[in-house]
Amino acid sequence: MVAKVILFGEHAVVYGYRAISMAINLNTSVKVEKADKFIIYSENLNKTLVSDNLECNDRDFSYIINTLKIFFNNFNIEPEYLKLSIYSEIPVSCGLGSSASVIIETLKSLSNFYNIELDKNDIFKLAYEVERITQGKASITDTATITYGGVLEIKDNKFRKLNDLNDFIKECDFLIAYVEKRNKKTADLVKEVSNLDYKDEIFKEIDKIAKEAIKVNDKKEFGELLLKNHELLKKLNISTNKIDKVIDIAKKYSYGAKITGAGGGGCVIILLNDNWKELIKRIKNHVISLYPCKVIL
Ligand code: PMV
């Protein structure tokens, strides 16, 4: 299963303005097998949980535990011991939707294991329920984007596929630069932004950019919109010096770039041009890791 990035509109989307998100080709897989305890293994976290029941409070695995509970409950299956092994290319807690990806892949693997047919709408509904229960509050951005793929507009917690933009985007090569660990959680950043008395002015500008981006058919123009959106996010104080350094380099050696997700560190999304080798040479010492990616339709 894939990952997601927000191309435009993070934070503004919390207030009903539009955001544009995209499914990208960073994968997660979950293997399900019979076991004599509940065993959850994550290669990424280098961690294994072994438990007699699903009432264990393990923060790292709370999404998986809740996925199991909701799956068993929804399909009236008597819980039985299983081993779930999770392999993911998606770095955790940096705005790429690693939790939603793991939830969705777990649901798919469980449905295969139990021979239950799930369509995309079933998966979306169940995955959103798991996110909501685990986080207390969740937007549909991650679960919708990762379930349905392509490029989506999210507005008022509803989504629609942007099929025209899909045609343009599939010709684009992106690079995700994981610059630094986030210093705050999404909820804390959303709260801080909510305290800014000028936020609505900024959100209106961001919404205009997202609206323009839907109609764009030119990489240079699209890159400029990414940079404009980043400037506005800076005014919301969610960028960092390290992120801005990477964006400054990307300004010279790509079509454009912006921070993606809640901010406070994390990732930058860059639209590549022919200077990508030079770009990589110049940013590689300023990042934790780099992920070349394309949209997954
Ligand atoms: O970094 P993430 O994936 O948690 O993105 C959060 C995006 C926000 O707009 C800041 C919050 C939201 O729920 O949409």
Side-chain angles (χ1 to χ4, degrees), residues 9-244:
E10 46 275 268
H11 288 285
V13 71
V14 175
Y15 296 81
Y17 296 97
R18 61 171 69 71
I20 301 178
S21 61
M22 170 173 80
I24 52 167
N25 58 333
L26 288 180
N27 288 303
T28 300
S29 70
V30 177
K31 188 172 153 203
V32 177
E33 53 199 324
K34 278 198 188 292
D36 48 15
K37 296 262 185 214
F38 286 109
I39 303 171
I40 305 175
Y41 162 72
S42 159
E43 184 189 47
N44 252 12
L45 301 173
N46 190 18
K47 180 172 167 176
T48 305
L49 169 83
V50 180
S51 175
D52 285 329
N53 58 60
L54 290 174
E55 298 314 315
C56 46
N57 282 326
D58 186 295
R59 279 180 70 109
D60 288 329
F61 291 128
S62 52
Y63 288 99
I64 310 285
I65 295 166
N66 285 336
T67 305
L68 281 164
K69 281 188 189 169
I70 285 181
F71 182 86
F72 287 140
N73 194 25
N74 199 69
F75 297 104
N76 285 323
I77 296 171
E78 186 62 35
E80 64 171 326
Y81 291 141
L82 295 173
K83 178 177 181 190
L84 271 60
S85 308
I86 302 148
Y87 306 91
S88 183
E89 297 171 343
I90 311 170
V92 293
S93 305
C94 64
L96 300 181
S98 63
S99 316
S101 190
V102 167
I103 294 169
I104 290 166
E105 192 55 35
T106 303
L107 286 169
K108 284 186 167 182
S109 300
L110 286 170
S111 66
N112 282 338
F113 187 81
Y114 286 104
N115 275 322
I116 293 171
E117 259 191 45
L118 292 183
D119 65 16
K120 287 191 175 180
N121 296 338
D122 300 325
I123 291 175
F124 170 62
K125 237 176 72 199
L126 289 170
Y128 181 58
E129 179 71 358
V130 176
E131 274 221 331
R132 214 180 44 74
I133 282 177
T134 315
Q135 292 172 195
K137 202 172 166 218
S139 97
I140 58 162
T141 311
D142 290 17
T143 38
T145 313
I146 293 175
T147 304
Y148 294 98
V151 186
L152 304 188
E153 179 190 74
I154 314 284
K155 199 170 186 296
D156 295 325
N157 219 28
K158 294 193 186 74
F159 70 89
R160 72 178 173 109
K161 271 211 164 199
L162 296 170
N163 291 325
D164 291 348
L165 194 57
N166 274 340
D167 289 340
F168 162 69
I169 290 273
K170 69 182 187 223
E171 304 304 324
C172 294
D173 291 302
F174 292 94
L175 182 70
I176 289 174
Y178 178 24
V179 177
E180 61 183 329
K181 273 193 173 266
R182 286 183 165 182
N183 57 17
K184 287 170 196 149
K185 291 201 159 91
T186 298
D188 297 332
L189 288 147
V190 168
K191 175 110 206 325
E192 280 179 22
V193 170
S194 77
N195 291 330
L196 302 172
D197 54 11
Y198 55 86
K199 62 181 183 298
D200 273 308
E201 279 162 54
I202 308 269
F203 293 156
K204 280 182 192 145
E205 292 297 309
I206 291 177
D207 190 69
K208 253 196 242 165
I209 291 173
K211 201 169 168 188
E212 264 182 68
I214 293 174
K215 292 178 261 153
V216 163
N217 206 349
D218 175 82
K219 291 182 186 174
K220 192 161 169 283
E221 251 178 79
F222 198 84
E224 277 159 16
L225 292 175
L226 290 174
L227 288 167
K228 269 196 192 169
N229 193 160
H230 184 72
E231 283 310 308
L232 291 162
L233 290 170
K234 269 166 82 172
K235 293 191 183 159
L236 297 176
N237 304 329
I238 62 131
S239 193
T240 66
N241 291 339
K242 282 190 174 176
I243 295 272
D244 290 339

